[in-house]
Amino acid sequence: MRARRLLPWSIPAAAVLACGVYWTQLLHTQERARDRALHTAAARAAHLADTLALQAETLVQSADFVLSTVGAQWGDRQPLPPLPYPPGAVLQLGVLDGKGKLQSQDGSVARVVIDGLPASAPGLSVGAPARQPVAGAVSFVRPLPGQGQAQVLLTLSPNYLTGLLRRLQPSRGDLLLLARADGVAVARSDGLVEPLPFPVGPLFEHAPRTDEVLSQAWPAEDGRRILGWQRVGNTPLLALAAVDEGGALRGVQAEQATARRRGGLGSAAVLVMAGVLSLLLRRRQRRRTTAASAAAKPLGKPAGAHTATPANSASTPA
């Protein structure tokens, strides 16, 4: 009897419990799917960074080869071998003296107008992207042996550098960069000349782990990006791949939104059905209770009925 009275309330309680279990499992599954998508994006970023590091190492080795060749042949004025660059890639090539004048291989002298030149240092140095007159041009210098402050200078065009990065075909919204330890982006696949919004010095100290997902805030209009990075050989450069986090999660989020919408409609339908069934059972129980109460009462006297007395009911003999 008690179980029958609790039945109308146990049905909606069971429905609420079932919906709670369903949503807990659904959200847990979706969280795991989101983590898998982020790890997949991190693996793609690491692969892009590794590939970019190989390309950048070839770029730096080619620049160093050209500078070393020019320095070795400068005194004899021997003709240079064919440069490993397409037409238009080299903006400047020659020897830069301490007064800022550039002497080309043909003997012409001109003042260097492209800014962003690196400071004098032993070995190969990589400059910052120029602001003017050719925005994004990058210079490489190497000391000229036995010539005091003179340096061999090579300046590459921004179109050539950007094309090298875009050749790796990053997805839309992704970004490939070559950065120095001071945070200067030497080259970017989007062709911009902008500083990085975060320090990259710590990334030079350790390689990314296989299970590591590093998400970095970018400017507000670009959202967040998942980073992959790799040192460019023994050069002072870091290959950096920044994969768009929103793009990596877009497909997963769309599927999850559809699943939550369907789950919400299904849960609402289950709860409504459980509520209606509970209401019908409570009404049925009330009708049974009312009928049982009516059956348990004693029968009443009919209206207008009188009880006859012996005196009135006795007949008088004729």
Side-chain angles (χ1 to χ4, degrees):
M1 190 67 179
R2 178 180 178 83
R4 185 178 297 177
R5 288 198 303 267
L6 294 178
L7 182 60
W9 303 104
S10 61
I11 292 178
V16 171
L17 180 61
C19 290
V21 172
Y22 167 78
W23 280 100
T24 299
Q25 185 172 0
L26 176 64
L27 295 178
H28 178 68
T29 302
Q30 291 189 345
E31 184 65 24
R32 292 178 58 187
R34 184 180 185 276
D35 290 342
R36 285 195 300 270
L38 291 177
H39 279 84
T40 300
R44 184 162 64 89
H47 174 71
L48 284 172
D50 290 343
T51 307
L52 177 58
L54 294 176
Q55 292 268 15
E57 189 172 10
T58 302
L59 168 69
V60 175
Q61 288 175 350
S62 299
D64 197 24
F65 170 77
V66 170
L67 294 175
S68 299
T69 302
V70 172
Q73 299 179 359
W74 184 254
D76 300 333
R77 304 290 176 156
Q78 300 178 15
L80 291 175
L83 298 179
Y85 302 109
V90 178
L91 300 182
Q92 296 180 134
L93 177 59
V95 172
L96 180 68
D97 62 19
K99 298 180 180 180
K101 292 183 179 180
L102 179 68
Q103 184 176 359
S104 300
Q105 188 75 10
D106 58 5
S108 61
V109 179
R111 179 167 293 278
V112 175
V113 294
I114 293 180
D115 59 7
L117 298 181
S120 179
L124 178 70
S125 299
V126 183
R131 292 285 180 176
Q132 59 179 358
V134 182
V138 176
S139 297
F140 300 81
V141 299
R142 171 177 278 280
L144 182 62
Q147 298 295 325
Q149 295 182 350
Q151 302 180 94
V152 187
L153 170 67
L154 168 67
T155 303
L156 298 178
S157 73
N159 291 336
Y160 171 70
L161 296 172
T162 301
L164 284 179
L165 272 61
R166 289 179 177 172
R167 197 174 300 169
L168 299 180
Q169 298 180 342
S171 301
R172 183 179 180 181
D174 298 344
L175 186 61
L176 299 180
L177 309 98
L178 291 176
R180 301 189 315 192
D182 57 1
V184 173
V186 175
R188 297 169 53 127
S189 60
D190 58 4
L192 299 179
V193 182
E194 299 291 340
L196 293 176
F198 59 92
V200 297
L203 301 183
F204 277 82
E205 304 300 327
H206 73 282
R209 299 187 300 270
T210 55
D211 59 343
E212 184 176 12
V213 178
L214 179 58
S215 179
Q216 175 65 47
W218 221 263
E221 63 274 12
D222 292 336
R224 298 186 66 87
R225 295 182 184 272
I226 300 172
L227 302 183
W229 66 95
Q230 187 61 259
R231 283 289 301 268
V232 181
N234 296 322
T235 73
L237 295 179
L238 181 77
L240 187 65
V243 174
D244 181 26
E245 182 176 306
L249 294 177
R250 190 169 294 120
V252 174
Q253 289 175 337
E255 294 178 0
Q256 292 180 349
T258 301
R260 288 194 295 267
R261 184 164 53 250
R262 292 175 178 173
L265 293 174
S267 298
V270 169
L271 293 176
V272 168
M273 291 175 61
V276 171
L277 182 58
S278 175
L279 179 62
L280 293 176
L281 289 175
R282 290 200 301 270
R283 287 182 176 178
R284 183 179 178 183
Q285 285 186 354
R286 282 198 295 268
R287 287 197 298 268
R288 286 183 175 181
T289 302
T290 302
S293 299
K297 290 181 180 180
L299 294 175
K301 298 176 182 180
H306 297 281
T307 303
T309 59
N312 294 331
S313 60
S315 58
T316 305

